[in-house]
Short mmCIF file of all heavy atoms in Angstrom, two decimals:
data_model
loop_
_atom_site.label_atom_id
_atom_site.label_comp_id
_atom_site.label_asym_id
_atom_site.label_seq_id
_atom_site.Cartn_x
_atom_site.Cartn_y
_atom_site.Cartn_z
N ASN Y 284 175.56 136.27 87.94
CA ASN Y 284 175.10 137.59 87.55
C ASN Y 284 176.18 138.63 87.82
O ASN Y 284 177.04 138.45 88.70
CB ASN Y 284 173.84 137.98 88.32
CG ASN Y 284 172.62 137.22 87.84
OD1 ASN Y 284 172.67 136.50 86.84
ND2 ASN Y 284 171.52 137.38 88.55
N PRO Y 310 172.28 139.08 83.74
CA PRO Y 310 171.58 139.10 82.46
C PRO Y 310 171.29 140.52 82.00
O PRO Y 310 171.04 141.40 82.81
CB PRO Y 310 170.29 138.33 82.74
CG PRO Y 310 170.06 138.53 84.21
CD PRO Y 310 171.40 138.62 84.84
N VAL Y 586 153.86 143.74 87.82
CA VAL Y 586 154.27 143.98 86.44
C VAL Y 586 155.16 145.22 86.35
O VAL Y 586 156.17 145.24 85.64
CB VAL Y 586 153.03 144.13 85.53
CG1 VAL Y 586 153.45 144.51 84.12
CG2 VAL Y 586 152.24 142.83 85.50
N LEU Y 587 154.81 146.26 87.10
CA LEU Y 587 155.63 147.47 87.12
C LEU Y 587 157.01 147.18 87.71
O LEU Y 587 158.03 147.68 87.21
CB LEU Y 587 154.92 148.56 87.92
CG LEU Y 587 155.65 149.91 88.01
CD1 LEU Y 587 155.84 150.51 86.63
CD2 LEU Y 587 154.86 150.87 88.90
N SER Y 588 157.06 146.36 88.76
CA SER Y 588 158.34 145.98 89.35
C SER Y 588 159.21 145.24 88.34
O SER Y 588 160.41 145.46 88.24
CB SER Y 588 158.11 145.11 90.59
OG SER Y 588 159.33 144.60 91.09
N ASP Y 589 158.58 144.33 87.56
CA ASP Y 589 159.34 143.61 86.54
C ASP Y 589 159.85 144.55 85.45
O ASP Y 589 160.95 144.38 84.93
CB ASP Y 589 158.46 142.53 85.91
CG ASP Y 589 158.25 141.35 86.84
OD1 ASP Y 589 158.88 141.35 87.91
OD2 ASP Y 589 157.49 140.44 86.50
N LEU Y 590 159.04 145.55 85.10
CA LEU Y 590 159.45 146.53 84.09
C LEU Y 590 160.68 147.30 84.58
O LEU Y 590 161.63 147.52 83.82
CB LEU Y 590 158.30 147.48 83.78
CG LEU Y 590 158.54 148.50 82.68
CD1 LEU Y 590 158.82 147.81 81.35
CD2 LEU Y 590 157.33 149.42 82.54
N LEU Y 591 160.67 147.69 85.85
CA LEU Y 591 161.83 148.38 86.42
C LEU Y 591 163.04 147.45 86.51
O LEU Y 591 164.19 147.87 86.31
CB LEU Y 591 161.48 148.93 87.81
CG LEU Y 591 160.41 150.02 87.84
CD1 LEU Y 591 160.04 150.35 89.28
CD2 LEU Y 591 160.89 151.25 87.10
N PHE Y 592 162.79 146.16 86.79
CA PHE Y 592 163.88 145.19 86.86
C PHE Y 592 164.53 145.00 85.49
O PHE Y 592 165.76 144.94 85.37
CB PHE Y 592 163.34 143.85 87.37
CG PHE Y 592 164.36 142.73 87.33
CD1 PHE Y 592 165.34 142.63 88.30
CD2 PHE Y 592 164.33 141.79 86.32
CE1 PHE Y 592 166.27 141.61 88.26
CE2 PHE Y 592 165.26 140.77 86.27
CZ PHE Y 592 166.23 140.68 87.25
N VAL Y 593 163.70 144.92 84.43
CA VAL Y 593 164.22 144.76 83.08
C VAL Y 593 165.11 145.93 82.70
O VAL Y 593 166.14 145.77 82.04
CB VAL Y 593 163.06 144.59 82.08
CG1 VAL Y 593 163.55 144.69 80.64
CG2 VAL Y 593 162.38 143.25 82.30
N HIS Y 594 164.72 147.12 83.14
CA HIS Y 594 165.51 148.32 82.84
C HIS Y 594 166.59 148.58 83.89
O HIS Y 594 167.17 149.68 83.92
CB HIS Y 594 164.60 149.53 82.70
CG HIS Y 594 163.75 149.49 81.46
ND1 HIS Y 594 164.23 149.81 80.22
CD2 HIS Y 594 162.45 149.13 81.27
CE1 HIS Y 594 163.28 149.68 79.32
NE2 HIS Y 594 162.18 149.25 79.93
N GLN Y 595 166.78 147.59 84.79
CA GLN Y 595 167.90 147.59 85.73
C GLN Y 595 167.80 148.72 86.76
O GLN Y 595 168.80 149.21 87.25
CB GLN Y 595 169.23 147.68 84.98
CG GLN Y 595 169.43 146.57 83.97
CD GLN Y 595 170.61 146.77 83.07
OE1 GLN Y 595 171.44 147.64 83.31
NE2 GLN Y 595 170.70 145.99 82.01
N HIS Y 596 166.56 149.09 87.12
CA HIS Y 596 166.37 150.10 88.15
C HIS Y 596 166.20 149.47 89.53
O HIS Y 596 166.44 150.14 90.54
CB HIS Y 596 165.14 150.97 87.82
CG HIS Y 596 165.31 151.79 86.57
ND1 HIS Y 596 166.35 152.68 86.40
CD2 HIS Y 596 164.57 151.86 85.44
CE1 HIS Y 596 166.24 153.27 85.22
NE2 HIS Y 596 165.17 152.77 84.61
N VAL Y 597 165.73 148.24 89.59
CA VAL Y 597 165.55 147.54 90.86
C VAL Y 597 166.04 146.11 90.70
O VAL Y 597 166.20 145.59 89.60
CB VAL Y 597 164.07 147.51 91.31
CG1 VAL Y 597 163.55 148.92 91.52
CG2 VAL Y 597 163.20 146.77 90.29
N GLY Y 598 166.30 145.46 91.84
CA GLY Y 598 166.66 144.05 91.84
C GLY Y 598 165.45 143.20 92.18
O GLY Y 598 164.37 143.70 92.42
N GLY Y 599 165.65 141.88 92.20
CA GLY Y 599 164.56 141.00 92.57
C GLY Y 599 164.37 139.88 91.57
O GLY Y 599 165.34 139.34 91.04
N LEU Y 600 163.14 139.54 91.31
CA LEU Y 600 162.80 138.41 90.43
C LEU Y 600 161.78 138.85 89.38
O LEU Y 600 161.02 139.78 89.60
CB LEU Y 600 162.20 137.26 91.25
CG LEU Y 600 163.05 136.69 92.37
CD1 LEU Y 600 162.23 135.67 93.14
CD2 LEU Y 600 164.30 136.03 91.83
N ILE Y 601 161.79 138.16 88.25
CA ILE Y 601 160.73 138.35 87.27
C ILE Y 601 159.52 137.55 87.73
O ILE Y 601 159.58 136.33 87.82
CB ILE Y 601 161.18 137.89 85.87
CG1 ILE Y 601 162.29 138.81 85.37
CG2 ILE Y 601 160.02 137.86 84.90
CD1 ILE Y 601 161.83 140.22 85.06
#
Side-chain angles (χ1 to χ4, degrees):
N284 287 352
V586 175
L587 181 61
S588 173
D589 286 355
L590 184 61
L591 295 174
F592 173 78
V593 169
H594 289 282
Q595 303 169 12
H596 295 303
V597 299
L600 301 174
I601 293 292

